[in-house]
Amino acid sequence: MQREELVIVDDIEKQAWQLLEDAIIYYQGRPVGTVAANDRSQFALNYDHCFIRDFAASALLFLIKGRYDIVRNFLEETLKLQPKKQLLDAYTPTQGLIPASFKVVSNNGEEYLEADFGEHAIARVTPVDSCLWWIIILHAYVKATKDLKFALQPEFQQGIALIMELCLATRFDMSPTLLVPDGACMIHRRLGIYGYPLEIQALFYAALRAARQLLICAGDEEIVIGIDKRLPLLQNHIRHHYWIDIQRLNIIYRFKGEEYGHSATNLFNIYVDSIPYADLAIWLPKHGGYLAGNVGPSQLDTRFFSLGNLMAIISSLASEQQSQAIMTLIEEQWQDLVGTMPMKICFPALEKEEYRILTGYDPKNIPWSYHNAGSWPVLLWFLTAAAQKTGRINIAKNALELAQYRLSEDQWPEYYDGVRGMLIGRKARRYQTWTITGFLLAKELMSHPEYLELFSFEKFDVENAGYACNL
Amino acid sequence: MQREELVIVDDIEKQAWQLLEDAIIYYQGRPVGTVAANDRSQFALNYDHCFIRDFAASALLFLIKGRYDIVRNFLEETLKLQPKKQLLDAYTPTQGLIPASFKVVSNNGEEYLEADFGEHAIARVTPVDSCLWWIIILHAYVKATKDLKFALQPEFQQGIALIMELCLATRFDMSPTLLVPDGACMIHRRLGIYGYPLEIQALFYAALRAARQLLICAGDEEIVIGIDKRLPLLQNHIRHHYWIDIQRLNIIYRFKGEEYGHSATNLFNIYVDSIPYADLAIWLPKHGGYLAGNVGPSQLDTRFFSLGNLMAIISSLASEQQSQAIMTLIEEQWQDLVGTMPMKICFPALEKEEYRILTGYDPKNIPWSYHNAGSWPVLLWFLTAAAQKTGRINIAKNALELAQYRLSEDQWPEYYDGVRGMLIGRKARRYQTWTITGFLLAKELMSHPEYLELFSFEKFDVENAGYACNL
């Protein structure tokens, strides 16, 4: 890079840090989170909320910079918003759930926090990912501060236990994956991701890994046993049934339907006519592969979902070989998955009848826009983390070079549209906090790969996992 | 009816009773259930199993005829198959679940029962409806025999409590309805009924009503409080958000999308372009209406599902006015919903791209076949019960007249195909037990409306519900 360019990049970074500073929410004089977006040209709707999933990147940046107080305050305040009692009721948030977002409300000069568990959101979707992100952030806080005592406080142990109970609770189905309604994660509108979407499973795996360490340090046994039973089952289930590469596609392509009994090889009764096998056979590079978006009865969603695949690498849910193959796929199908703006939230878009039937005609999720194969700069940090974990630094470097000038010029929009990400998102806000933090965190991870330790996990082997407190 | 016709009908009934007798499964010398089908011309697959949902009609007939032993044995043996411990595991049936089916297996002259929780079934679908049917059958047994002591045995109380815990357990979402994977009920293959399908909600409501009575008689308080909290919420949710008639369609038709906050009227963010509003406006009679198949985020499944609608009438989940409107719809859209064989499992069929996308190209569920708008004689008994409950006897009478000669001539097939039900189901077995029992039970309900009391419920009003044991 030329000296002049360096100066520009330096300026962009400075601007980004300042924007992050401006995004901080204060509550009773203490910093507690960051707003979703700071776009003064548009009506706030719920963009003045602090979203738990959005705050994850902010939290990691604050931890990196030693701004521990913000993350500590965030964890304390969101914990207070977690329902502690099950009311055997409905229409009230379930015990253990962490809200999607919160905001500071003033009433007669007194401030309080208002939580949203989806009641205020479009279509009343419950945010399943929030409680998983909460544990991941708590774990990172302890890793960064070495302040284990913070997590050992009884209210925090209770908070973790309630989330684990919710996740490990008895359910109707027998799969190690979590059954959730459509739109229960970053894709929080209907997009045909009901059932067992990869993003939730990858975050679930990471949260189990994080909770395991926090609970072991607290001397818990019962829940750790439950986690140790679930982790290998979940891992094997995802690695086997979600994996798609050319070898696996060949097997799926020749599946017989309608098999009964224990010996069935086509376990989920997938009919090959339901998947785009011919397109996939061309698209899959020889040494590339990825985890499918969803697996259920007669259902194999072959769309590539970035957050789930990258988080599977970061958390070691994917095997080392699979992780390399995912990065190879991103490299070889760069135009489709990265294009001009890193990176696609999913690929390809649902179009025509699929769009109509699976989104319910959602005008915000038209093909190649928003959740339906739009490009999301926040994914830069996941991509960079996965690149560091797999030693494929060039991938992150190339992605960052694409993004850094453009993001600032375009005033940090939430998302980009179009097949290659050339258009600023049709309804995107500017100054979206996680666009800013996604860029900054990617930068930090490039220059300091050791920060990866805050939120990544080495491979898990239940036999040799051990029960020592290593935090 | 002419004397000659009467003799023929009498012969058909005699034949049907004999076939039911032949379908009884014996286990260690005691009758414990009925096989799904007795078609010796085809390989058994799992048609030699006793399915819990299939046995419901058999059970009611045996209770009517005083053959209490079979139902008692069935309840005792299936209860033994219910997992009593939660293993915090996966791939093992969840605590509280009742299997989809069981069969008698012999090993070295020793007989044992083998349960199937979906492991043997196509696509590994977990049967959520089984545990709901089990409670409904137990309740009917106590009503018929007056043998309350049977249900008060500790193992039965535990069985009920485990099912209630499973159904009322903490979940991620905040709706009073039950979230289930696709194909978790009579429609046990993928058919776009993931989420909150009506059939499950109607059976859930009936099971809550049945469990409430059984638990009150046992002096339970805690679970009854939970049930009393859930019942009105579930009832209001279904009556309001699932209801479709011309007035409601007018409201939905003019819905605004993208509403935020508590004041939103389009609670689930339904886009009218996603529903066939023009067809519905023609199809809905002035005084007719029905409960939608499913409601979720940006999702309103406007297909008519018979079992759910009829069970909603029988259990008083639907209001009295709604119940009348459903029967009016069936009467006025007779050709579509009954045609030449009572009656359609759902209407209309998924066709073309909808078929491809929502069934995953299932060759058994092609349009107008099997679950995808095939005609199922077993639904005769639900239709007759609903007709009795609403005083619309002619509907049942006309349906029975259509079915009675044809079923016997066609050797009691499992289902019929085609837009009007003219074709014997493409892959239908003959001598399907619940075809036989559906016909016989409908006959019994026509001549003895008092049998309705075994499985129907009067309207529930939590204020005046009372806590007296009335069984």
Side-chain angles (χ1 to χ4, degrees):
Chain A
M1 218 183 274
Q2 301 294 315
R3 170 171 279 271
E4 203 176 325
E5 279 180 345
L6 274 173
V7 172
I8 295 172
V9 170
D10 204 47
D11 278 353
I12 293 171
E13 280 189 52
K14 268 191 200 137
Q15 184 206 13
W17 281 109
Q18 186 54 49
L19 289 169
L20 174 57
E21 196 65 35
D22 298 344
I24 294 175
I25 294 177
Y26 290 84
Y27 171 53
Q28 297 176 347
R30 300 153 64 224
V32 293
T34 45
V35 291
N38 231 339
D39 186 348
R40 295 202 180 87
S41 68
Q42 291 195 57
F43 184 62
L45 285 175
N46 57 0
Y47 283 86
D48 57 346
H49 284 236
C50 174
F51 283 81
I52 277 61
R53 73 173 72 89
D54 293 41
F55 186 70
S58 300
L60 292 170
L61 284 171
F62 291 136
L63 292 176
I64 286 170
K65 293 295 171 187
R67 302 275 298 269
Y68 302 144
D69 57 329
I70 307 183
V71 183
R72 191 174 56 239
N73 295 339
F74 167 86
L75 289 165
E76 283 174 350
E77 294 303 331
T78 44
L79 180 62
K80 286 182 203 158
L81 301 173
Q82 180 193 44
K84 301 296 185 298
K85 262 201 168 170
Q86 189 53 29
L87 298 170
L88 276 179
D89 204 339
Y91 292 135
T92 53
T94 298
Q95 166 186 299
L97 217 58
I98 296 282
S101 66
F102 63 85
K103 67 182 279 190
V104 180
V105 181
S106 282
N107 197 357
N108 292 328
E110 259 203 83
E111 284 186 345
Y112 61 95
L113 292 184
E114 194 178 87
D116 181 26
F117 288 89
E119 314 97 306
H120 292 267
I122 290 281
R124 303 285 192 277
V125 181
T126 307
V128 178
D129 61 345
S130 290
C131 59
L132 307 172
W133 275 119
W134 188 86
I135 290 186
I136 294 166
I137 296 170
L138 173 62
H139 179 255
Y141 175 83
V142 176
K143 288 278 261 187
T145 60
K146 309 285 170 209
D147 180 9
L148 181 57
K149 272 190 199 150
F150 180 74
L152 294 185
Q153 297 174 86
E155 56 271 35
F156 275 84
Q157 287 296 312
Q158 185 200 20
I160 301 167
L162 288 178
I163 295 171
M164 284 297 107
E165 276 164 30
L166 186 61
C167 292
L168 301 172
T170 54
R171 294 183 192 278
F172 292 118
D173 54 340
M174 291 185 285
S175 125
T177 41
L178 289 183
L179 175 71
V180 297
D182 212 337
C185 53
M186 178 178 173
I187 295 176
H188 54 79
R189 300 168 76 104
R190 191 172 169 214
L191 199 76
I193 60 162
Y194 61 87
Y196 309 93
L198 178 64
E199 178 177 333
I200 288 289
Q201 316 313 325
L203 290 174
F204 178 36
Y205 187 81
L208 285 176
R209 297 292 305 269
R212 186 179 190 274
Q213 300 199 354
L214 293 167
L215 290 165
I216 283 176
C217 292
D220 177 276
E221 277 186 19
E222 202 191 322
I223 303 176
V224 174
I225 292 172
I227 292 174
D228 283 358
K229 278 197 175 161
R230 184 64 79 94
L231 275 173
L233 288 170
L234 177 62
Q235 182 181 293
N236 293 342
H237 186 90
I238 297 288
R239 288 184 185 180
H240 185 66
H241 298 299
Y242 282 61
W243 187 248
I244 299 177
D245 60 11
I246 196 73
Q247 287 75 31
R248 179 76 186 152
L249 185 64
N250 256 306
I251 293 168
I252 296 168
Y253 182 63
R254 295 167 61 85
F255 266 161
K256 279 190 296 180
E258 309 293 311
E259 291 176 294
Y260 286 85
H262 278 295
S263 59
T265 52
N266 182 3
L267 217 66
F268 294 98
N269 201 38
I270 308 296
Y271 300 101
V272 74
D273 291 339
S274 70
I275 66 170
Y277 55 85
D279 294 343
L280 278 173
I282 293 171
W283 195 67
L284 283 166
K286 199 174 172 193
H287 300 290
Y290 66 104
L291 295 166
N294 213 326
V295 172
S298 299
Q299 183 198 19
L300 176 66
D301 184 345
T302 59
R303 280 177 289 174
F304 177 92
F305 287 85
S306 296
L307 202 163
N309 271 285
L310 297 173
M311 202 65 196
I313 294 174
I314 295 165
S315 64
S316 293
L317 169 57
S319 72
E320 277 170 52
Q321 207 182 350
Q322 289 176 338
S323 298
Q324 289 296 337
I326 294 167
M327 295 310 283
T328 298
L329 178 71
I330 293 171
E331 202 163 37
E332 305 249 336
Q333 294 298 357
W334 187 261
Q335 281 306 311
D336 286 342
L337 298 176
V338 179
T340 65
M341 176 51 69
M343 80 176 278
K344 288 281 173 220
I345 191 167
C346 64
F347 178 87
L350 298 173
E351 298 188 277
K352 297 173 190 159
E353 285 300 288
E354 271 194 320
Y355 156 71
R356 186 179 74 72
I357 294 165
L358 292 177
T359 74
Y361 254 122
D362 187 338
K364 199 159 177 184
N365 274 334
I366 52 172
W368 307 104
S369 181
Y370 202 50
H371 300 147
N372 191 8
S375 303
W376 290 69
V378 64
L379 295 170
L380 254 178
W381 81 261
F382 294 93
L383 180 63
T384 307
Q388 285 289 14
K389 186 131 196 290
T390 52
R392 308 284 287 267
I393 321 291
N394 267 334
I395 293 175
K397 198 165 155 278
N398 293 338
L400 259 165
E401 273 171 20
L402 277 176
Q404 59 190 359
Y405 301 105
R406 193 160 165 220
L407 286 179
S408 158
E409 270 172 32
D410 294 345
Q411 299 172 311
W412 314 93
E414 187 181 11
Y415 63 98
Y416 286 82
D417 285 355
V419 175
R420 296 279 181 263
M422 287 294 289
L423 305 163
I424 294 172
R426 196 175 170 211
K427 300 191 177 180
R429 305 271 150 161
R430 308 300 173 107
Y431 302 107
Q432 187 82 18
T433 303
W434 70 354
T435 295
I436 297 160
T437 54
F439 165 72
L440 286 176
L441 186 50
K443 280 283 195 184
E444 293 295 325
L445 289 167
M446 279 303 278
S447 50
H448 300 281
E450 67 274 18
Y451 295 150
L452 198 60
E453 281 174 32
L454 292 177
F455 56 89
S456 82
F457 297 90
E458 289 311 305
K459 71 174 180 192
F460 182 78
D461 169 6
V462 75
E463 306 288 315
N464 305 306
Y467 294 91
C469 173
N470 287 326
L471 271 171
Chain B
M1 217 184 272
Q2 299 296 314
R3 169 171 282 272
E4 205 175 323
E5 280 181 347
L6 275 174
V7 172
I8 295 173
V9 171
D10 204 47
D11 277 354
I12 293 172
E13 281 191 52
K14 267 191 201 140
Q15 185 206 13
W17 281 109
Q18 185 55 50
L19 289 169
L20 174 56
E21 196 65 35
D22 298 343
I24 294 174
I25 294 176
Y26 290 84
Y27 170 53
Q28 297 176 345
R30 301 152 65 223
V32 292
T34 46
V35 291
N38 231 337
D39 186 349
R40 295 202 179 86
S41 69
Q42 292 196 56
F43 184 61
L45 285 175
N46 58 357
Y47 284 86
D48 57 347
H49 283 237
C50 173
F51 283 81
I52 276 61
R53 72 173 74 89
D54 294 41
F55 185 71
S58 300
L60 292 170
L61 285 170
F62 291 136
L63 291 176
I64 285 169
K65 293 296 170 187
R67 302 274 299 268
Y68 302 143
D69 57 329
I70 306 182
V71 184
R72 191 172 57 240
N73 296 338
F74 167 87
L75 288 165
E76 282 173 351
E77 293 302 332
T78 45
L79 180 62
K80 286 182 204 159
L81 301 173
Q82 180 193 44
K84 300 298 186 294
K85 264 201 169 172
Q86 188 54 29
L87 298 170
L88 277 179
D89 204 340
Y91 292 135
T92 54
T94 298
Q95 164 186 298
L97 217 59
I98 297 284
S101 66
F102 63 85
K103 68 182 280 190
V104 180
V105 182
S106 282
N107 196 356
N108 292 328
E110 260 202 82
E111 284 186 344
Y112 63 95
L113 291 185
E114 193 176 87
D116 181 26
F117 288 88
E119 312 97 304
H120 292 265
I122 290 280
R124 303 287 192 276
V125 181
T126 307
V128 178
D129 61 344
S130 290
C131 59
L132 306 173
W133 275 118
W134 188 86
I135 290 187
I136 295 167
I137 297 169
L138 173 62
H139 178 256
Y141 175 84
V142 175
K143 289 277 261 187
T145 60
K146 310 283 171 211
D147 181 9
L148 180 57
K149 272 191 201 151
F150 180 74
L152 294 185
Q153 296 174 87
E155 57 270 35
F156 274 84
Q157 286 296 313
Q158 185 200 19
I160 300 167
L162 288 177
I163 295 170
M164 285 296 107
E165 275 164 31
L166 186 61
C167 292
L168 299 173
T170 56
R171 294 184 190 281
F172 292 116
D173 55 342
M174 293 185 283
S175 126
T177 40
L178 289 182
L179 176 71
V180 297
D182 214 338
C185 52
M186 177 177 173
I187 295 175
H188 53 80
R189 299 167 77 103
R190 191 173 168 212
L191 200 75
I193 60 162
Y194 60 88
Y196 310 92
L198 179 65
E199 178 177 333
I200 288 291
Q201 315 314 325
L203 290 173
F204 179 35
Y205 188 81
L208 285 176
R209 298 292 306 269
R212 185 179 190 274
Q213 300 200 354
L214 294 166
L215 290 165
I216 283 176
C217 292
D220 176 276
E221 275 183 22
E222 202 192 323
I223 302 175
V224 174
I225 291 172
I227 292 174
D228 283 358
K229 278 198 174 159
R230 185 62 79 96
L231 276 173
L233 288 170
L234 177 61
Q235 183 180 292
N236 294 343
H237 186 90
I238 298 287
R239 287 184 186 180
H240 185 67
H241 297 299
Y242 282 62
W243 186 248
I244 299 177
D245 59 11
I246 195 73
Q247 286 76 28
R248 180 78 185 149
L249 185 64
N250 256 305
I251 293 168
I252 296 168
Y253 181 63
R254 295 167 61 84
F255 266 162
K256 279 190 298 180
E258 309 294 311
E259 291 176 292
Y260 285 84
H262 278 295
S263 59
T265 52
N266 183 2
L267 216 67
F268 294 98
N269 201 38
I270 307 296
Y271 300 101
V272 73
D273 290 340
S274 70
I275 66 169
Y277 55 87
D279 293 345
L280 277 173
I282 294 172
W283 196 66
L284 282 166
K286 199 174 172 193
H287 300 289
Y290 66 103
L291 295 167
N294 213 325
V295 173
S298 298
Q299 183 199 20
L300 175 66
D301 184 345
T302 59
R303 280 176 289 172
F304 177 93
F305 287 86
S306 296
L307 201 163
N309 270 284
L310 297 172
M311 203 64 195
I313 295 174
I314 294 164
S315 65
S316 292
L317 169 57
S319 71
E320 277 172 50
Q321 209 185 344
Q322 289 176 337
S323 298
Q324 289 295 337
I326 295 167
M327 296 309 284
T328 298
L329 178 71
I330 294 171
E331 203 164 34
E332 304 250 336
Q333 294 298 358
W334 187 262
Q335 281 306 309
D336 285 342
L337 298 176
V338 180
T340 65
M341 175 52 68
M343 80 180 274
K344 287 283 173 223
I345 191 168
C346 64
F347 178 87
L350 297 174
E351 299 189 278
K352 299 174 189 158
E353 284 300 287
E354 273 195 319
Y355 156 71
R356 183 180 74 76
I357 294 165
L358 293 176
T359 73
Y361 254 123
D362 187 339
K364 199 160 178 183
N365 274 334
I366 52 171
W368 308 104
S369 180
Y370 202 48
H371 299 149
N372 191 8
S375 303
W376 290 69
V378 63
L379 295 170
L380 254 178
W381 80 263
F382 293 93
L383 180 63
T384 307
Q388 285 289 13
K389 186 132 194 291
T390 51
R392 309 282 289 266
I393 321 294
N394 266 334
I395 294 175
K397 198 165 155 276
N398 293 338
L400 259 164
E401 272 171 21
L402 277 175
Q404 62 190 356
Y405 301 105
R406 193 160 165 221
L407 287 179
S408 157
E409 271 173 31
D410 293 344
Q411 299 171 315
W412 313 93
E414 186 182 10
Y415 63 98
Y416 286 82
D417 284 355
V419 176
R420 298 279 182 262
M422 287 296 289
L423 304 163
I424 293 170
R426 196 173 170 213
K427 300 192 177 180
R429 306 271 150 161
R430 310 298 174 108
Y431 302 106
Q432 187 81 18
T433 303
W434 70 356
T435 295
I436 297 160
T437 53
F439 165 74
L440 285 175
L441 185 51
K443 280 282 196 186
E444 293 295 325
L445 289 167
M446 279 303 277
S447 51
H448 301 281
E450 68 273 18
Y451 294 150
L452 198 61
E453 280 174 34
L454 291 177
F455 56 90
S456 82
F457 296 90
E458 291 311 305
K459 70 173 179 192
F460 181 77
D461 168 7
V462 74
E463 306 287 314
N464 305 305
Y467 294 92
C469 174
N470 287 325
L471 271 171

